[in-house]
Amino acid sequence: DSGVTQTPKHLITATGQRVTLRCSPRSGDLSVYWYQQSLDQGLQFLIQYYNGEERAKGNILERFSAQQFPDLHSELNLSSLELGDSALYFCASSPPLDSQETQYFGPGTRLLVL
Amino acid sequence: AQKVTQAQTEISVVEKEDVTLDCVYETRDTTYYLFWYKQPPSGELVFLIRRNSFDEQNEISGRYSWNFQKSTSSFNFTITASQVVDSAVYFCALIKTSGTYKYIFGTGTRLKVLA
C-alpha cells in the first residue's frame, strides 16, 4: 500500500458525460501527478500540481481539467467523454525535499466509456 | 524531438538469470531526467529510479542496477539473479524540463521470469 488513494476504483459511463476522479496523496506529500494508461496511447503524463499550483503540463486534453485543493487532494475532471478516453488513470504523489522526487502511485481508476 | 525506445517487447528468463532491459532515448536538450517504472501483473505502477542528465554514475539498489551512458543515449536496467516477483512490464521515460515540458514514455518491456 503506497498510501495514495484513488476513488472510484472503477467507473462506467457514456459518451458525452462528465466524470471526476479523486486522488488523496500520502500524508505530507505536496506534489500530485496524473497519468493516463490506455491500450492505444500507452502511458501518458497528464499534469502535475505542487502545493496547489500547476507545475507541469503534459498531454492533457482541453476537455480535461485538474486542480489541487488546499488539503492537497486532487481531482481530475474529464468532460465530453469519448470512447477513446477509456483508460486507467493513475495518480501519484511525491514528498517535498526528496532529491529523487520519488513518486508513490495510487491503485488507479479504471474508466470505461460506452 | 524526444523519443524513448524500448526495443525489447518481451523477454523471458529463468529464475536466477541476470537480465538487462534496454532503453535508448533521443533528445537535443542537455538537461533532462530519465526514469524507470515497474508495472506488475496486478496493475499498479511502481517508481524505480530517477536520474538527471548530469549524473552518469551507475546506480545499484539491491539486485537492481542502472547504467546511464550519455555517449550512447542509453539508460539500461539490469536485474541480477532474477526472481519470479520481478515479472512485470518495465517502462523507461524521459522528461525534458527546459522550454516546453515533455514527458515521454517508452512502450515498455514485458519481463517474464520463469520458475
Side-chain angles (χ1 to χ4, degrees), chain A residues 35 37 90 99-100 103 105, chain B residues 39 43 45 47 50 103 105:
Chain A
Y35 297 86
Q37 185 175 30
F90 288 105
S99 61
Q100 274 274 305
Q103 295 173 35
F105 284 86
Chain B
Q39 188 170 38
L45 276 170
F47 170 97
R50 181 183 91 152
Y103 201 136
F105 280 93

Side-chain angles (χ1 to χ4, degrees), chain A residues 4-53:
Chain A
V4 177
T5 60
Q6 289 187 249
T7 56
K9 285 188 177 178
H10 303 276
L11 198 48
I12 301 175
T13 188
T15 54
Q17 294 299 306
R18 172 190 167 94
V19 297
T20 298
L21 312 184
R22 182 188 170 104
C23 170
S24 293
R26 298 182 331 144
S27 176
D29 286 1
L30 300 182
S31 274
V32 169
Y33 309 75
W34 285 98
Y35 297 86
Q36 179 197 59
Q37 185 175 30
S38 66
L39 288 175
D40 290 342
Q41 305 282 338
L43 258 174
Q44 293 195 96
F45 165 74
L46 297 178
I47 199 162
Q48 179 197 355
Y49 281 85
Y50 181 86
N51 203 20
E53 300 289 327

